[in-house]
Amino acid sequence: QVQLVESGGGLVQAGGSLRLSCAASEGTFIAYVMGWFRQAPGNEREFVSAIAWSASNTAGNTYYADSVKGRFTLSRDNAKNTLYLQMNSLKPEDTALYYCAGVPRTTAAEISRENTYDSWGQGIQVTVSS
């Protein structure tokens, strides 16, 4: 497991942007599958986005929930062991506690499943006002 620490959350108006960061303690971060999940009050935790190492794509293969596709962009800086989630055109329904997660390896079929991941951050609040 790796230690994950999120930052960058806060309060923003609808239509605004935020960038979340997730700093990992592990030097093998480059090989990890990294993801973001979120949980709104009264709801279950849901998949937001994930990125996996790819031999054919140095930027990594990215996956997005339909609800954020086209608005959120996931990227990673392996030199800094950091994962980024750029969130644009934010909506009130994006309000949630956002969690960074990691796992050494997984399949595309399982990358969006919460129980796939074995390392989790403490969560960071994102609030979008209307």
Side-chain angles (χ1 to χ4, degrees):
Q1 295 185 350
V2 297
Q3 301 297 316
L4 302 173
V5 179
E6 301 100 335
S7 62
L11 173 64
V12 64
Q13 288 188 330
S17 299
L18 282 175
R19 188 177 79 160
L20 302 184
S21 299
C22 173
S25 64
E26 178 58 56
T28 58
F29 169 82
I30 187 173
Y32 267 62
V33 175
M34 299 297 298
W36 286 96
F37 287 76
R38 66 186 182 186
Q39 186 169 21
N43 292 353
E44 294 186 352
R45 192 150 53 181
E46 64 176 8
F47 172 75
V48 175
S49 182
I51 187 167
W53 179 86
S54 170
S56 60
N57 179 5
T58 57
N61 291 332
T62 52
Y63 304 81
Y64 298 95
D66 288 343
S67 59
V68 306
K69 202 170 293 183
R71 300 187 298 122
F72 291 11
T73 303
L74 187 63
S75 62
R76 64 196 300 167
D77 185 336
N78 292 324
K80 297 181 178 180
N81 285 0
T82 302
L83 180 73
Y84 301 102
L85 182 67
Q86 179 65 44
M87 305 185 295
N88 298 329
S89 301
L90 282 162
K91 304 175 181 179
E93 51 263 44
D94 294 317
T95 295
L97 195 59
Y98 282 70
Y99 295 90
C100 177
V103 65
R105 63 189 62 82
T106 188
T107 65
E110 296 181 332
I111 203 167
S112 63
R113 296 172 59 180
E114 180 181 354
N115 60 8
T116 292
Y117 296 82
D118 61 8
S119 297
W120 291 85
Q122 80 284 355
I124 192 161
Q125 182 67 37
V126 171
T127 303
V128 184
S129 63
S130 57

